[in-house]
Amino acid sequence: MTGMTTRLEQGDALLLVDVQNDFCPGGALPVPQGDEVVAELNDWIDEAERLGIPIFASQDWHPDGHISFAEQGGPWPQHCVQDTDGAAFRADLTLPESARVVHKGTDVGEDAYSAFQGTDLAAELADLGVSKVWVGGLALDYCVKASVLDAIESGFGVALIVEGTRAVNVQPGDGDEAIAEMVEAGAVVERGG
Ligand code: VGL
Ligand code: ZN
């Protein structure tokens, strides 16, 4: 166990961002220690399931030739190509059958860091009566940050599960800056323990 105590309440949802093979060591766009988020997030999954809290899990889900790929002049190596092993969830992430999967970045000509961009996520959360979203996953300074900011923009409260996320840190400090930006926007940082 990673020291989590019960903090989830009715009206909350859990959002696990892009816990995919390509963002973990050995993958196409590895986030340093990205695999370490799994144990922490599994604890949150267990707790959410126990309490009947809805669980959403996003997948970066790009078609071949996606605009974000270096071969197209984009910033990233090819990653998370639809239906490949790299795009699959980490096998040790214990997602229940009931988890709702959100695919993003599916348009060949448009990138989408946020799990809310071009998806029905905000409407699905609203339909379920969710008011607060707990967010973890990969990568802190890209898709987690973008998802947190969009969640706030969409009117949801947000708590960042900081032990359940890791940063790419293309520039040193990007992760810390991302946290500061999220806090500035109104997110609460859950430091665990
Ligand atoms: C991501 C870079 C490119 C992420 C996705 O999930 O943080 N980062 N595509
Ligand atoms: Zn991507």
Side-chain angles (χ1 to χ4, degrees):
M1 292 290 281
T2 36
M4 185 205 150
T5 57
T6 303
R7 281 152 237 172
L8 293 169
E9 296 174 353
Q10 299 309 313
D12 293 353
L14 187 58
L15 173 59
L16 310 175
V17 176
D18 301 2
V19 185
Q20 292 166 272
N21 291 324
D22 272 346
F23 295 126
C24 292
L29 207 178
V31 178
Q33 282 100 46
D35 54 328
E36 292 179 2
V37 305
V38 173
E40 173 73 17
L41 295 178
N42 281 344
D43 286 348
W44 288 85
I45 288 169
D46 288 350
E47 194 63 3
E49 263 199 293
R50 197 174 70 75
L51 296 169
I53 300 287
I55 301 169
F56 289 81
S58 67
Q59 281 176 310
D60 207 37
W61 199 250
H62 299 315
D64 265 331
H66 189 253
I67 190 171
S68 75
F69 297 167
E71 60 189 18
Q72 321 298 327
W76 306 111
Q78 178 176 292
H79 64 281
C80 296
V81 174
Q82 295 174 4
D83 296 309
T84 63
D85 186 58
F89 290 117
R90 287 291 286 188
D92 51 349
L93 187 72
T94 54
L95 277 181
E97 285 286 324
S98 58
R100 295 163 172 80
V101 176
V102 178
H103 286 155
K104 66 182 179 61
T106 58
D107 185 338
V108 75
E110 196 182 350
D111 206 3
Y113 288 150
S114 163
F116 290 84
Q117 189 180 337
T119 74
D120 293 331
L121 179 56
E124 284 191 61
L125 290 168
D127 283 349
L128 290 166
V130 170
S131 54
K132 179 179 179 185
V133 186
W134 295 77
V135 184
L138 303 170
L140 173 63
D141 36 359
Y142 292 93
C143 292
V144 170
K145 179 178 92 169
S147 299
V148 164
L149 296 178
D150 271 359
I152 292 168
E153 188 99 336
S154 300
F156 301 102
V158 174
L160 175 71
I161 304 169
V162 90
E163 302 294 336
T165 182
R166 294 290 185 280
V168 180
N169 284 322
V170 169
Q171 304 291 335
D174 280 357
D176 290 338
E177 263 177 49
I179 292 174
E181 221 178 301
M182 290 183 258
V183 167
E184 175 78 9
V188 167
V189 175
E190 174 56 61
R191 289 194 182 273

